Amino acid sequence: MTASVPPVESKGLVLVVEDDRAIADLVCLYLRREGFGTSVETTGAGALDAVRRLRPVAVVLDIGLPGSDGIEVCRSMRAGGDWTPVLFVTARDDEVDRVLGLELGADDYVTKPFSPRELVARVRTVLRRAGGAPGGEVLTVGRTRLDLGQRRVWTDDAEVSLTSTEFELLAHLMRRPGQVFERSQLLSAVWGYSAAAGTRTVDVHIAQLRGKLGSASPIRTVRGVGYSADASC
Ligand code: CA
């Protein structure tokens, strides 16, 4: 990790993409009060780079940006296999129509002017949905299939019973196949607290997951780094 990466707060990092600095500052203030870490980008290109670099738990994405707009940013993320939850910020009714016409994942929107409190509540909603409300998104890596909406997992055709935490951990890995996550990143994303709580927790749950998934487990250990979900396992 480079020095430019902001510290991961207890509930994980939210990327705020907004070219109006005053709005961005206000949104960040309220998110931090709720225990989220924050980072700001003011352009679409910067946002795409930051999503890859910082791996936020959610993105607050203004549609009206200079250059590529928020919808194009979200499309690029999805096209690249990135299903990080997005909360759109819209300024006009026609933008609302465009957002509603999208099927880009576990998304929601707020319309300007919004109350910061409402925005934070919506961030929580998209995070909860991404954890598995109806949506029907199914992830497949190798022989393992995971239905985010139904919160069910199968290896080959046999259903595997997982605890809620095991499910979240596997879902987090399978959302970005091949991407290696450090233990501290998994702790922050799945348990919602920072590395101080003990990365051993992650190892224990990975071991349990492997035990349940058996030879079909897509989880790969990357020595000295962490874990990934990999079809070649
Ligand atoms: Ca704007």
Side-chain angles (χ1 to χ4, degrees), residues 18-19 62 64-65 112:
E18 171 63 76
D19 55 317
D62 186 31
L65 295 170
K112 287 178 182 172

Side-chain angles (χ1 to χ4, degrees), residues 14-157:
V14 176
L15 178 66
V16 177
V17 186
E18 171 63 76
D19 55 317
D20 183 326
R21 196 71 212 197
I23 294 178
D25 286 348
L26 187 66
V27 166
C28 288
L29 177 70
Y30 274 76
L31 286 168
R32 284 198 299 270
R33 274 192 200 162
E34 287 291 316
F36 292 102
T38 57
S39 183
V40 176
E41 289 294 333
T42 55
T43 65
L48 285 172
D49 178 61
V51 165
R52 276 187 294 265
R53 203 162 30 89
L54 304 177
R55 297 166 199 163
V57 295
V59 182
V60 174
L61 186 53
D62 186 31
I63 291 183
L65 295 170
S68 36
D69 72 13
I71 289 176
E72 288 167 42
V73 169
C74 188
R75 272 194 210 288
S76 297
M77 285 169 60
R78 301 317 189 218
D82 187 319
W83 292 91
T84 305
V86 168
L87 177 68
F88 285 108
V89 178
T90 67
R92 303 190 312 267
D93 285 348
D94 60 314
E95 290 179 350
V96 174
D97 292 343
R98 286 173 69 201
V99 170
L100 293 177
L102 300 175
E103 291 193 0
L104 293 176
D107 300 321
D108 199 354
Y109 70 92
V110 292
T111 304
K112 287 178 182 172
F114 53 84
S115 85
R117 228 177 275 278
E118 180 196 357
L119 182 133
V120 172
R122 293 296 185 83
V123 167
R124 280 203 224 96
T125 302
V126 295
L127 285 172
R128 200 165 50 235
R129 268 195 224 153
E137 191 191 337
V138 175
L139 308 174
T140 304
V141 178
R143 293 157 57 195
T144 303
R145 190 159 47 93
L146 180 147
D147 187 318
L148 287 169
Q150 297 184 38
R151 297 183 70 86
R152 295 169 73 186
V153 174
W154 298 262
T155 57
D156 299 325
D157 282 325

